[in-house]
Amino acid sequence: MCEPPGCPGVIPDDVRPGAKWTSGYILSIAVVTNLAVTIPIVLYCVIFTMESQFATLKTSRFANLTMRLGVVLGSVAIALFVPFFIEILGVISTVLLVSIQILLPCIISWSLSREGKSRFGALEYGLFVLGCVVMVIGLNSSLRNLAAAIRAANSKQTGGA
């Protein structure tokens, strides 16, 4: 089944959890804390938007609670049952975050400079180029991670051949 030196994820006999694993525990706690804060904020935005669109959700407590439960369970189901969810999220995040946080402000600044309301100089141009480079590198990495996950899943299905 597994060849020496062992299966991926198996702790070797001569290694004991301890001080050198502390950074891993700290990182795990940070990730869980981040998710515990950000997921309720995102779900609150989804729920608030749905409540503002449908009057029934404002008047009926049962409908509101059912919708809220459905949103939470739907989010969990998507995360659990969509294959390669993390890898796909990495691709989407790379494109959206770089576009919204770096490229879009540069494009708006360039547009304002064309109207004479702002200046688009070397710094803004450099930031735009840097954003494009970051997007290409990040997208390349995310797509490689997605391809590796797909290959790993296919090799598990075919028996590792």
Side-chain angles (χ1 to χ4, degrees):
M1 198 174 227
C2 286
E3 301 298 322
C7 298
V10 175
I11 301 173
D13 293 334
D14 61 334
V15 175
R16 293 186 175 267
K20 71 177 187 176
W21 290 26
T22 303
S23 59
Y25 292 134
I26 291 171
L27 182 60
S28 298
I29 290 169
V31 168
V32 169
T33 304
N34 180 18
L35 292 174
V37 172
T38 57
I39 289 175
I41 292 171
V42 170
L43 290 182
Y44 175 77
C45 293
V46 170
I47 289 168
F48 183 77
T49 301
M50 290 182 72
E51 287 174 346
S52 68
Q53 297 295 319
F54 302 103
T56 306
L57 297 175
K58 292 179 182 177
T59 58
S60 171
R61 183 171 173 84
F62 177 75
N64 191 301
L65 289 174
T66 303
M67 180 271 304
R68 288 174 180 248
L69 184 62
V71 167
V72 171
L73 292 177
S75 300
V76 170
I78 288 170
L80 291 176
F81 299 118
V82 171
F84 316 114
F85 178 74
I86 297 296
E87 291 80 7
I88 293 171
L89 190 62
V91 171
I92 293 169
S93 298
T94 298
V95 173
L96 288 180
L97 291 177
V98 172
S99 297
I100 291 171
Q101 294 179 348
I102 299 175
L103 301 179
L104 185 63
C106 289
I107 291 169
I108 291 171
S109 177
W110 176 73
S111 176
L112 289 173
S113 73
R114 290 186 63 198
E115 297 176 5
K117 297 178 181 178
S118 177
R119 168 181 103 61
F120 192 82
L123 181 64
E124 289 83 4
Y125 181 74
L127 184 60
F128 184 80
V129 170
L130 177 66
C132 290
V133 169
V134 167
M135 182 182 287
V136 167
I137 292 171
L139 193 55
N140 183 20
S141 175
S142 296
L143 290 173
R144 284 179 188 237
N145 290 343
L146 179 58
I150 291 170
R151 278 193 303 274
N154 286 340
S155 71
K156 282 183 183 178
Q157 288 177 353
T158 60

